Amino acid sequence: MRPGLAFRAATAAYVAAVAVLAAAGSALAAPLVFPTGVLYVPAEPWLAGPEAALSLARIAVLSVFAVANAHLLRVLLRLLPADPAERGVARRLARALVGSGVPVTAAAGGAARIRTAGGQVRRQRSLDLRELPVSYPELVAVYQGMWRRAGLRVRPDPPRVRAYDPQGYEYVVEPGRAGAAVLRVSGPVRRFRGLARAALAMSVPALGVALWLLQPGMF
């Protein structure tokens, strides 16, 4: 799922949960929209009551705060430090291209976050190597020799070749389209950023609920 669609789906589920709790009259609805919901506190006395209009107004106001809260969380998540593996992949890809000594025309093949069979995420970049001055088998032999001399663990996987460095980066040369070849580097599995994003996403509404539970007279 694309990031934009994932954000909209998560926001819709979050707003729906807040709206259902508000419609049921649950006191948890307000703390779930912390911190933007702090602005709801001054308005709460005028939105409480059995009247249908007031109930609908309370649901609407809390839903608006939930949407604002989702966008605030999105901004905070973007401020998290970038994955260092992303820069590492770019540097290693450039070194592999230049270090081979084979004069080719290189075109960016794209950058992506790939998910492994085990559900882990890795950074990946690739280059399309065009106008090869040598045959593809000769190109593979050049990269095998270069990576072995550099101390990488080389694993032939015909028609491609793979190599791994001690930091967990994977290097691949494989056939491309129309006589070209593809040079690809994948970063090691990085869990810190994903865990940090999940913790931040959960901590904001959880903190609001915790503060509500700690109010005097709750127990």
Side-chain angles (χ1 to χ4, degrees), residues 91-138:
R91 287 196 300 267
R92 284 165 171 79
L93 186 64
R95 286 203 300 265
L97 174 66
V98 176
S100 69
V102 179
V104 297
T105 299
R113 294 171 69 247
I114 60 169
R115 192 169 293 277
T116 67
Q120 298 168 321
V121 176
R122 305 180 73 175
R123 293 283 182 179
Q124 184 181 93
R125 285 179 180 266
S126 64
L127 292 171
D128 293 327
L129 308 182
R130 303 170 182 171
E131 301 177 11
L132 301 179
V134 297
S135 67
Y136 176 75
E138 290 175 313

Side-chain angles (χ1 to χ4, degrees), residues 43-142:
E44 187 173 16
W46 288 272
L47 295 173
E51 295 84 353
L54 289 177
S55 297
L56 290 175
R58 182 172 183 267
I59 295 170
V61 170
L62 286 172
S63 297
V64 168
F65 281 128
V67 172
N69 220 34
H71 284 277
L72 176 62
L73 280 170
R74 194 183 198 186
V75 171
L76 292 175
L77 291 172
R78 286 176 174 173
L79 295 177
L80 285 174
D83 188 346
E86 188 170 1
R87 292 191 297 272
V89 166
R91 287 196 300 267
R92 284 165 171 79
L93 186 64
R95 286 203 300 265
L97 174 66
V98 176
S100 69
V102 179
V104 297
T105 299
R113 294 171 69 247
I114 60 169
R115 192 169 293 277
T116 67
Q120 298 168 321
V121 176
R122 305 180 73 175
R123 293 283 182 179
Q124 184 181 93
R125 285 179 180 266
S126 64
L127 292 171
D128 293 327
L129 308 182
R130 303 170 182 171
E131 301 177 11
L132 301 179
V134 297
S135 67
Y136 176 75
E138 290 175 313
L139 181 71
V140 168
V142 168

Side-chain angles (χ1 to χ4, degrees), residues 165-190:
D165 68 14
Q167 289 74 41
Y169 289 82
E170 180 188 58
Y171 304 72
V172 177
V173 173
E174 62 185 3
R177 292 178 295 180
V182 176
L183 173 63
R184 185 172 65 247
V185 176
S186 302
V189 173
R190 294 289 181 179

